[in-house]
Amino acid sequence: MPPAPLLSTIGFDADDTLWQNEQFFQLTERRFTALLADHAAPEHLSQRLLEAEKRNLRLYGFGVKGFTLSMIETAIEVTEGRAPSAVIAEILAAGREMLEHPVETLPGARETLETLAGRYRIVLVTKGDLFDQERKLAASGLGELFDAVEIVSDKTAATYERVFTRHGDGPARAMMIGNSLKSDVVPVLRAGGWGVHVPHDLTWALEHHDEPVNEPRYRKIAALAEVIDLVETIS
Amino acid sequence: MPPAPLLSTIGFDADDTLWQNEQFFQLTERRFTALLADHAAPEHLSQRLLEAEKRNLRLYGFGVKGFTLSMIETAIEVTEGRAPSAVIAEILAAGREMLEHPVETLPGARETLETLAGRYRIVLVTKGDLFDQERKLAASGLGELFDAVEIVSDKTAATYERVFTRHGDGPARAMMIGNSLKSDVVPVLRAGGWGVHVPHDLTWALEHHDEPVNEPRYRKIAALAEVIDLVETIS
């Protein structure tokens, strides 16, 4: 019997790995700072919003609804309770629009998944709002290419241990690919898998992390399609 | 070989089946109507809030964050844009408190699960906000009693088909127990399983449904612990 291949399962992050996401948050944040331009400078508003998001993370988790609630909270704070209802209504509308925006897949997403499907078990591992992530997956048209979909509330080493044990042969024979060093790469390395970073121009401030350059199973690629050649080198 | 037992897998709903939930929504709604008492009668406010929840369901899904956003939207609507910031801030605070409230398990929940665990595969099937449901499950102390946990965005016949195929032997050998006829009972009957209704005093208006009295696999019990005897009659 030939030895089992080293790599059996490949996990993909979704937001800003397979489709655009952060750009919608940043566009909405610009709309938010414009709405409150009479009350504070954009940088100050962004700073206060980020503080609210951080503070609320343990209650709201990740996603558009929590972001909308944090924008409303910040609007009230920075205006010292004088935010007009019209501004709050605009923020609500901006949040609803984010939840309806069309999904724009990133270059190479479909081709990469199609090439790897059948040769590896392909798992989508995405964090955030269950309802919104399911909507985006359906709208992306990529759903059929995955052997499994895991929408999780956070991405830790324990998350990858669980997901790759459930859907594969454990993290040691798994690879995770994503744009966030903090969520997609570092925890899977800690769990014993390969962690592949595909940087995106826009990455949320709370997802920043130092590059794990000394980790033997860390890889960095410039574009998603490069993963096709990369897996050949370790299979 | 003896014939395989008829029933192998039991699914439990969580909110208002294993622990209190709707009472927190109703308490918060009363706080909401009190906040806006100068602007409209409580019944009118509740009606408008329900309309907003219905309208937003396709965007927000189920859960506290969507409920909070719908309360804010309703406050702005009923005041024709004159809702003071202080009211909006109070609604935000009420939403955050819901996300922190201690979990109160319902009578018989732990004992029932402990009795059935090991004899059947026990699956938690709950819909709503991923992050909040995970928090409540952890806080309930019941997590260890489940063979699997499925937090889903909606509960349809297809949901139960998928969940009971993944974690059991398909819906034909599965039972689902819950307080909502619409979400816990009727769709699992449609999928071919047993559907057991445990009514709760409080059930959300959008979860109401006629009793499926002519369905042979429909059962109704007055208290959760009755399921222990019930399963004996069909195993």
Side-chain angles (χ1 to χ4, degrees):
Chain A
M1 214 171 74
L6 236 43
L7 184 71
S8 69
T9 312
I10 304 179
F12 284 87
D13 170 55
D15 288 341
D16 297 316
T17 298
L18 297 177
W19 54 65
Q20 299 286 10
N21 176 65
E22 180 63 18
Q23 70 176 28
F24 298 109
F25 279 83
Q26 296 197 3
L27 280 170
T28 305
E29 188 170 324
R30 280 205 285 280
R31 191 166 158 188
F32 169 77
T33 58
L35 274 171
L36 293 162
D38 290 347
H39 298 271
E43 305 73 40
H44 179 71
L45 288 162
S46 289
Q47 179 57 34
R48 296 291 290 272
L49 176 57
L50 187 65
E51 283 163 21
E53 287 181 86
K54 265 191 204 169
R55 190 168 63 230
N56 291 329
L57 203 55
R58 73 179 181 90
L59 290 177
Y60 295 158
F62 301 94
V64 172
K65 286 178 286 189
F67 180 62
T68 308
L69 290 165
S70 288
M71 283 193 289
I72 294 171
E73 186 177 321
T74 305
I76 295 173
E77 269 181 22
V78 297
T79 59
E80 289 166 336
R82 286 175 285 108
S85 267
V87 165
I88 308 295
E90 274 280 326
I91 295 171
L92 284 172
R96 284 196 301 268
E97 282 167 34
M98 288 181 79
L99 294 168
E100 296 188 281
H101 74 77
V103 171
E104 186 185 333
T105 55
L106 284 163
R110 168 168 287 280
E111 297 72 13
T112 303
L113 291 170
E114 281 176 344
T115 305
L116 298 172
R119 291 157 57 185
Y120 299 90
R121 259 160 301 181
I122 307 294
V123 186
L124 185 76
V125 190
T126 174
K127 83 180 170 192
D129 187 82
L130 183 61
F131 198 80
D132 192 36
Q133 291 292 339
E134 287 186 357
R135 173 191 76 87
K136 290 195 282 190
L137 178 60
S140 74
L142 301 175
E144 299 297 310
L145 297 166
F146 294 99
D147 295 292
V149 173
E150 287 280 347
I151 301 170
V152 298
S153 58
D154 202 2
K155 287 173 162 180
T156 64
T159 311
Y160 290 114
E161 174 73 41
R162 179 169 55 77
V163 166
F164 288 128
T165 299
R166 178 187 285 185
H167 299 294
D169 311 295
R173 293 182 55 193
M175 171 185 280
M176 181 69 197
I177 299 159
N179 72 301
S180 166
L181 285 168
K182 186 179 174 192
S183 293
D184 302 317
V185 177
V186 169
V188 80
L189 291 169
R190 203 167 294 147
W194 277 274
V196 179
H197 189 210
V198 201
H200 186 284
D201 287 347
L202 309 174
T203 294
W204 188 32
L206 296 187
E207 291 293 340
H208 289 165
H209 196 288
D210 290 339
E211 237 189 307
V213 283
N214 293 321
E215 293 281 349
R217 286 189 161 194
Y218 169 63
R219 300 288 186 280
K220 184 176 178 173
I221 56 179
L224 202 57
E226 288 180 26
V227 79
I228 295 168
D229 287 337
L230 174 62
V231 295
E232 294 298 324
T233 69
I234 57 173
S235 288
Chain B
M1 215 171 74
L6 236 44
L7 184 71
S8 69
T9 312
I10 304 179
F12 284 87
D13 171 54
D15 288 342
D16 297 316
T17 298
L18 297 177
W19 54 67
Q20 300 285 11
N21 177 64
E22 181 62 17
Q23 68 176 29
F24 298 109
F25 278 83
Q26 295 196 4
L27 281 169
T28 305
E29 187 170 324
R30 280 205 285 279
R31 193 167 157 187
F32 168 78
T33 58
L35 275 171
L36 293 163
D38 290 347
H39 298 272
E43 306 73 41
H44 179 71
L45 287 162
S46 289
Q47 179 58 35
R48 296 290 291 271
L49 176 56
L50 187 65
E51 283 163 20
E53 288 181 86
K54 264 191 206 169
R55 190 169 62 230
N56 290 328
L57 204 54
R58 72 177 182 92
L59 289 177
Y60 295 157
F62 301 94
V64 172
K65 287 177 286 188
F67 180 61
T68 309
L69 290 166
S70 288
M71 283 193 289
I72 295 172
E73 185 177 320
T74 306
I76 295 173
E77 269 180 22
V78 295
T79 60
E80 290 167 336
R82 285 174 287 107
S85 267
V87 166
I88 308 293
E90 275 280 325
I91 295 171
L92 284 171
R96 284 194 302 267
E97 282 166 36
M98 288 181 80
L99 294 168
E100 295 189 282
H101 75 76
V103 171
E104 186 185 331
T105 55
L106 284 163
R110 167 168 288 281
E111 298 71 14
T112 304
L113 291 169
E114 280 175 345
T115 304
L116 298 172
R119 291 158 57 185
Y120 299 89
R121 259 160 299 181
I122 307 293
V123 186
L124 185 76
V125 189
T126 174
K127 81 180 170 190
D129 187 81
L130 182 61
F131 197 79
D132 191 36
Q133 291 292 338
E134 287 186 357
R135 173 190 78 86
K136 290 194 281 189
L137 179 60
S140 75
L142 301 175
E144 298 299 309
L145 296 166
F146 294 99
D147 296 291
V149 173
E150 288 279 347
I151 301 170
V152 296
S153 59
D154 203 0
K155 288 173 161 179
T156 63
T159 310
Y160 291 113
E161 173 73 39
R162 178 169 56 77
V163 166
F164 289 127
T165 300
R166 179 187 285 186
H167 300 294
D169 310 294
R173 293 183 55 194
M175 171 185 281
M176 181 69 198
I177 299 158
N179 72 300
S180 167
L181 285 168
K182 186 179 174 192
S183 293
D184 303 317
V185 177
V186 169
V188 80
L189 291 169
R190 204 166 294 147
W194 277 275
V196 179
H197 189 211
V198 202
H200 186 284
D201 287 348
L202 309 173
T203 295
W204 188 33
L206 297 187
E207 292 294 340
H208 288 166
H209 196 286
D210 289 339
E211 236 188 307
V213 284
N214 293 321
E215 292 281 349
R217 287 189 159 195
Y218 168 63
R219 299 289 186 281
K220 184 176 178 173
I221 56 181
L224 202 55
E226 289 180 25
V227 80
I228 295 168
D229 287 336
L230 174 61
V231 296
E232 293 299 324
T233 68
I234 57 172
S235 288

